[in-house]
Amino acid sequence: MSTTGSTTAAAGTTGTTGAASDAKAGTKRKAPPRNAYDDIKHCIVTNDGTPDAMVKLIGLKSLFARQLPKMPKEYIVRLVFDRRHKSLAILSQDPKHAGGDEEIVGGICYRAYPEMRFAEIAFCAVSASQQVKGYGTKLMNLLKRQMVLEGLEYSITYADNYAIGYFKKQGFTKTITMPKGRFHGLIKDYDGGTMMECYVHPSIDFTRVPEMIEAQREFLLKRVATVAKSHRVVYPALPKGWKPDLEGVSRANEDAARCMAIPGVAEAGWTMADLQACAGGAKDSDRKANQLKSELLSLCRKTQEQQFVWPFREPVNSQEVPDYLDVVKEPIDLSTIEKRIRKGDWYKSRAMLLTDLMRMVNNCKLYNGDSSVYTDCAIQLEKFLRTLFPEMA
């Protein structure tokens, strides 16, 4: 079982040697900023039979059972104590919690497949009393760092509707880029779950991502400063009672023209079109289109949040179901619908969106027949759409 203490000690030894070398060379080298993750007490736990490992595994089992109530407890116990699985645990700094369930602040249970260079995440949870403190992100960043150490490239998980948002924030995507041959037969499909993937770049220290972003920001600002004039050219203040010449300007464009008349605005690269958009001078039709787009996206998201829509999230793979396109002539799915909405010019009304959603329902019934779990999902979706679109009644 590895702990942060040994890692910190090793890093300290290396840093001292490097500093001594620089001193001999007579050069000054800026010390890297201290990593805030070094203050987080964490460890990798495996079922090696030692009392300390067993105590922590029991704490992890209790945490997952509390935070994932829909997950069968027998299944949690089997995977957490399986010797092929590992668990990364963040531990409480409070000495009074040592050795008890409360010592475990959060944990991730995963199984690594070194020969295929990927890991499958089984469980991920943070104690209810420690949530909204950033531990979910810290857990995932520590796991990514551990995966780099183990030589793993991809992380795979099945997320339910409540976890999809979290995994997206941690860099996971529904688009699977890892070759299927690497995981096919090693992990099984889960009904009601969405398969998600995260690529872990071997040269990135994910515990230092905020520092990397800040360094890139500073670099860009310095480069911008070499060509920008905003910090060198200062225009005099506008005189009291200043009024621009608005002769020949329509009433709708007066605000934009008034801004353009201010010295320095045009020189900064602003145009009338930019200012018209900011001042609300856009066409009424554009505003209506944006309102419709927002409404349709809201309807699409409400549909995607339902548990029974899992068969409709992505297009049917015609390679896995070769006769699908012979039966279904106009295939449609929720990801395609969302792309059409975001494009902005596909759907002209709620009715057009409903047509595609009902086509999705009817395609499912047509291909799968009456006695199918997929058809059951389609029937539930149709009932839900009647509540979402009262005009169906």
Side-chain angles (χ1 to χ4, degrees):
M1 178 166 58
S2 61
T3 63
T4 54
S6 59
T7 305
T8 306
T13 305
T14 305
T16 305
T17 306
S21 312
D22 289 343
K24 290 179 182 178
T27 60
K28 290 185 178 180
R29 180 170 143 193
K30 185 179 178 181
R34 190 169 174 279
N35 193 340
Y37 279 77
D38 291 340
D39 294 331
I40 300 175
K41 186 179 178 183
H42 66 281
C43 61
I44 298 293
V45 193
T46 57
N47 187 359
D48 57 6
T50 61
D52 184 57
M54 297 302 290
V55 168
K56 287 184 171 58
L57 288 174
I58 291 173
L60 284 162
K61 179 266 297 179
S62 300
L63 171 69
F64 295 141
R66 286 196 310 271
Q67 299 303 122
L68 307 171
K70 293 184 179 180
M71 196 68 66
K73 290 181 174 58
E74 297 81 3
Y75 181 66
I76 293 175
V77 171
R78 180 159 58 87
L79 265 60
V80 170
F81 286 90
D82 181 10
R83 294 180 184 270
R84 296 169 297 182
H85 282 72
K86 300 179 183 179
S87 294
L88 187 152
I90 290 182
L91 308 177
S92 171
Q93 302 277 9
D94 194 336
K96 71 180 182 182
H97 293 156
D101 287 353
E102 293 183 359
E103 182 183 17
I104 308 296
V105 173
I108 294 180
C109 178
Y110 69 98
R111 179 178 176 181
Y113 295 88
E115 65 283 358
M116 295 300 176
R117 301 193 304 282
F118 81 92
E120 179 189 13
I121 295 176
F123 311 116
C124 175
V126 175
S127 175
S129 62
Q130 300 295 330
Q131 290 184 2
V132 201
K133 296 183 180 179
Y135 280 117
T137 297
K138 292 170 184 175
L139 259 177
M140 193 59 67
N141 286 340
L142 288 169
L143 176 64
K144 290 175 182 177
R145 185 167 72 176
Q146 180 66 25
M147 289 177 61
V148 171
L149 295 175
E150 295 183 25
L152 305 175
E153 289 182 332
Y154 291 92
S155 179
I156 293 280
T157 190
Y158 273 87
D160 61 23
N161 291 333
Y162 302 102
I164 288 175
Y166 163 75
F167 281 107
K168 279 186 175 180
K169 290 179 181 178
Q170 307 309 320
F172 283 72
T173 174
K174 298 177 186 178
T175 303
I176 308 301
T177 59
M178 183 171 65
K180 189 173 181 180
R182 285 171 61 172
F183 64 85
H184 185 65
L186 297 176
I187 61 177
K188 66 176 184 177
D189 293 332
Y190 293 90
D191 290 344
T194 301
M195 189 177 187
M196 302 186 75
E197 167 199 284
C198 179
Y199 174 69
V200 180
H201 200 287
S203 66
I204 295 179
D205 183 353
F206 288 89
T207 63
R208 290 190 178 272
V209 168
E211 298 167 22
M212 295 164 57
I213 294 174
E214 181 61 27
Q216 292 172 354
R217 181 177 180 274
E218 291 180 6
F219 172 77
L220 289 173
L221 289 176
K222 288 178 181 178
R223 292 301 298 269
V224 168
T226 60
V227 296
K229 299 179 181 178
S230 58
H231 63 297
R232 296 196 298 263
V233 180
V234 180
Y235 293 90
L238 296 175
K240 188 175 181 180
W242 174 82
K243 290 184 179 181
D245 182 11
L246 300 179
E247 186 178 353
V249 178
S250 66
R251 189 180 184 86
N253 294 332
E254 280 185 359
D255 289 340
R258 188 177 291 108
C259 291
M260 286 297 296
I262 298 174
V265 173
E267 290 79 358
W270 287 88
T271 65
M272 278 291 289
D274 296 331
L275 295 173
Q276 283 171 345
C278 294
K283 294 180 180 179
D284 184 59
S285 59
D286 291 338
R287 285 198 296 271
K288 289 182 178 178
N290 288 333
Q291 289 173 359
L292 177 63
K293 182 178 178 180
S294 298
E295 182 184 5
L296 298 186
L297 278 174
S298 176
L299 292 170
C300 186
R301 290 194 193 101
K302 288 179 180 178
T303 305
Q304 291 170 331
E305 289 170 358
Q306 306 308 308
Q307 287 190 338
F308 46 76
V309 303
W310 59 268
F312 309 106
R313 296 190 187 281
E314 302 293 337
V316 174
N317 190 329
S318 57
Q319 293 182 343
E320 296 180 358
V321 191
D323 65 335
Y324 184 77
L325 296 180
D326 295 334
V327 179
V328 176
K329 302 304 181 183
E330 296 183 67
I332 190 68
D333 62 278
L334 286 173
S335 66
T336 301
I337 289 174
E338 184 175 355
K339 289 175 184 176
R340 289 178 174 180
I341 296 173
R342 293 189 181 281
K343 189 177 179 182
D345 58 356
W346 189 280
Y347 298 112
K348 306 299 182 183
S349 65
R350 286 167 53 99
M352 291 182 68
L353 172 62
L354 177 59
T355 299
D356 266 358
L357 290 170
M358 285 305 301
R359 180 179 293 115
M360 190 169 65
V361 169
N362 294 329
N363 286 348
C364 182
K365 292 179 179 179
L366 174 65
Y367 183 80
N368 295 289
D370 295 334
S371 57
S372 167
V373 64
Y374 298 105
T375 302
D376 292 340
C377 291
I379 293 172
Q380 292 183 65
L381 175 56
E382 185 174 4
K383 290 179 180 178
F384 174 74
L385 291 177
R386 292 186 183 281
T387 65
L388 206 58
F389 296 84
E391 56 266 36
M392 285 180 66

